[in-house]
Amino acid sequence: MVSILCTTSLVSTTIITCQSTRALLHIKMESSSTSTSSPNKKILVCGGGVIGVCTAYFLAKRGAQVTLVEKSGVACAASGKAGGFLALDWCDGGPVSSLARASFLLHQQLAEELDGSASYGYRRLNTLSLGIQEKLTSNSEKSGLKSTSNSKNSELIPSWVDGNGVVNPASIGTPQTTAQVHPQFFTRAVLSAAVEKYGVNVVMGEVQKVELEGGNEVRGVVVNGELVRGDAVVLALGPWSSKNEMISGLFRISGLKAHSIVLRPQNTEAIGPQALSLKYVTAQGISMDPDVYPRPTGEVYICGMSEEVEVPDDPQQVLPRKESIEMLQRVAQAVSSQLANAELQAEQACFLPCSDDGRPVIGKIPDINGAYVATGHSCWGILNAPATGASLAELIIDGHSKIVDLKPFDPARFKKATRKISIF
């Protein structure tokens, strides 16, 4: 049995109050207007994470008839448990630069269209790099801090960051170059708009296979034993991409397990809007790079402690490791007294999808008409989702992308001289 949901109850968002931001930059897209070039094209988007949702949104905005298929729940994995940090230029100098820059601007455009400051916590903010060196106290195993004084650029340290082991502060982002969203609220807000404004249908069920006709033409997808017909399919399955035979026959996507905690300080107003990128050294000499993201909701998100382990079959089976959560709590205590006694609201883990060459995989699957893929965004999935969805919509409807050159991300780069494709 396939459950089809066309109402907004699935994607209702929590309304939050936060500081509104003003548009600083604009990006113009020909694809932002509704197109009549392919009014009857039926497209199936498999995956209810941020990549799939943004792809469905921009396809439907272009006039396509879109059905989104999700197995477990919208934004139930990394798209709901990520930090939601956005950066304009942190990918400069690499193949992802143009994608990241276009997507940063599209985030602003979406925030204007969807009231992002109120509905999903979109805001521009300063970002700092800080060093922290902890030490053990003499009478317990709890972490303490080395005393420091007269640290260079100490005026950059926000008042709420009062750990006495904080050193080497540096500005690495300004409101012109860094921003944030609440990733779960963002994903659900975009899907809500796609459903309400552009008629996207949502089907809850497991995609078991892509059905082909004649061996190389998409006919639809089989969901819980039933065929859902479509002219094209987009596989946006995140770290579960390699469990799909069509993808695994061409390239590999691995999952990097990342941990995070969400804290609510007693005095939420004391926490300023500064994102922190830490160089943290434990008392045992172990170095790591956790991040701290205060949110307009009053929560503080802290992430780090990644590990390479097998991706389970179901997102609901992803559980955090106790030692990693405890380490992140130590980080919180070291950063701020405001976080030392904060309420622990969530301890969680998610898998980040990674390709073998470190680049996202976006584009047409070779040798199969109507099959497309979007995955492998690693830790930049929330940032790069809008440009991924918008450029893929252009590729599918117009035959090429104008927003971003997708050649660096073409799945065909993994194609071997000879390979076998499963014929369904």
Side-chain angles (χ1 to χ4, degrees):
M1 188 74 177
V2 177
S3 174
I4 302 180
L5 305 176
C6 303
T7 67
T8 59
S9 61
L10 174 71
V11 292
S12 60
T13 58
T14 301
I15 304 300
I16 57 177
T17 303
C18 63
Q19 178 183 359
S20 62
T21 56
R22 200 168 192 180
L24 301 176
L25 298 167
H26 293 275
I27 181 169
K28 294 183 179 180
M29 318 181 300
E30 293 183 16
S31 63
S32 62
S33 60
T34 301
S35 169
T36 57
S37 60
S38 303
N40 297 317
K41 195 157 192 176
K42 297 180 181 180
I43 302 175
L44 309 174
V45 178
C46 303
V50 68
I51 301 297
V53 165
C54 284
T55 301
Y57 175 86
F58 284 105
L59 280 167
K61 196 173 184 180
R62 291 293 309 275
Q65 298 181 34
V66 180
T67 295
L68 180 81
V69 185
E70 165 56 31
K71 175 183 176 180
S72 300
V74 175
C76 67
S79 298
K81 299 175 182 179
F85 179 76
L86 314 175
L88 172 68
D89 54 4
W90 285 25
C91 296
D92 281 5
V96 186
S97 174
S98 60
L99 182 70
R101 282 181 167 270
S103 213
F104 186 85
L105 302 184
L106 279 174
H107 265 289
Q108 179 181 295
Q109 180 176 308
L110 285 170
E112 293 168 354
E113 293 177 5
L114 307 179
D115 193 14
S117 61
S119 61
Y120 54 81
Y122 175 87
R123 67 177 176 183
R124 300 294 187 102
L125 76 172
N126 288 301
T127 303
L128 303 174
S129 172
L130 301 173
I132 293 182
Q133 169 75 59
E134 71 174 21
K135 69 175 182 179
L136 292 177
T137 60
S138 58
N139 58 352
S140 75
E141 290 300 313
K142 294 182 180 180
S143 61
L145 290 170
K146 282 187 174 179
S147 174
T148 59
S149 61
N150 300 321
S151 178
K152 186 179 180 181
N153 298 325
S154 59
E155 70 279 1
L156 294 175
I157 302 175
S159 59
W160 63 274
V161 181
D162 55 6
N164 64 3
V166 176
V167 296
N168 302 326
S171 174
I172 55 175
T174 69
Q176 287 70 45
T177 61
T178 54
Q180 71 178 149
V181 298
H182 189 299
Q184 185 182 73
F185 295 168
F186 170 71
T187 304
R188 292 182 175 179
V190 173
L191 183 54
S192 181
V195 170
E196 292 177 358
K197 294 181 180 180
Y198 306 118
V200 169
N201 290 330
V202 179
V203 172
M204 298 304 297
E206 182 178 3
V207 175
Q208 296 166 313
K209 64 179 179 179
V210 178
E211 188 80 16
L212 301 181
E213 186 173 0
N216 64 349
E217 191 86 28
V218 167
R219 184 168 171 243
V221 296
V222 177
V223 181
N224 295 348
E226 298 182 25
L227 177 63
V228 180
R229 293 182 178 273
D231 302 310
V233 60
V234 178
L235 300 175
L237 303 174
W240 288 273
S241 296
S242 288
K243 296 184 183 296
N244 179 276
E245 292 186 48
M246 184 173 288
I247 292 176
S248 63
L250 180 59
F251 61 90
R252 185 178 75 97
I253 292 292
S254 60
L256 182 66
K257 187 177 182 180
H259 292 77
S260 60
I261 59 175
V262 180
L263 303 175
R264 177 168 288 276
Q266 293 180 358
N267 183 8
T268 58
E269 294 183 358
I271 307 297
Q274 299 92 12
L276 308 179
S277 177
L278 304 181
K279 299 294 183 182
Y280 194 96
V281 181
T282 70
Q284 295 76 25
I286 300 173
S287 299
M288 55 185 185
D289 302 300
D291 296 312
V292 180
Y293 303 137
R295 289 173 168 169
T297 52
E299 302 167 334
V300 178
Y301 175 97
I302 303 176
C303 63
M305 305 301 295
S306 60
E307 58 182 339
E308 295 184 9
V309 294
E310 185 70 20
V311 179
D313 291 333
D314 194 311
Q316 305 299 330
Q317 298 172 337
V318 180
L319 300 174
R321 193 163 61 93
K322 179 182 177 182
E323 294 80 6
S324 296
I325 297 302
E326 291 176 347
M327 187 65 244
L328 292 176
Q329 290 177 296
R330 277 170 58 182
V331 170
Q333 294 168 7
V335 169
S336 173
S337 60
Q338 297 287 340
L339 303 181
N341 298 314
E343 176 190 354
L344 178 61
Q345 291 198 323
E347 47 185 276
Q348 57 197 15
C350 62
F351 280 87
L352 308 177
C354 305
S355 68
D356 284 345
D357 62 5
R359 282 181 276 159
V361 187
I362 310 167
K364 183 182 180 300
I365 295 177
D367 305 328
I368 304 175
N369 296 327
Y372 301 84
V373 64
T375 187
H377 292 74
S378 186
C379 61
W380 292 113
I382 305 299
L383 167 64
N384 290 323
T388 295
S391 59
L392 201 51
E394 287 185 330
L395 178 65
I396 294 171
I397 292 176
D398 301 328
H400 61 279
S401 170
K402 295 180 180 178
I403 298 173
V404 178
D405 181 5
L406 292 178
K407 289 180 182 178
F409 317 117
D410 192 341
R413 70 185 189 268
F414 297 107
K415 186 178 178 181
K416 298 178 182 180
T418 59
R419 70 181 182 93
K420 295 181 180 180
I421 301 176
S422 299
I423 306 296
F424 302 116

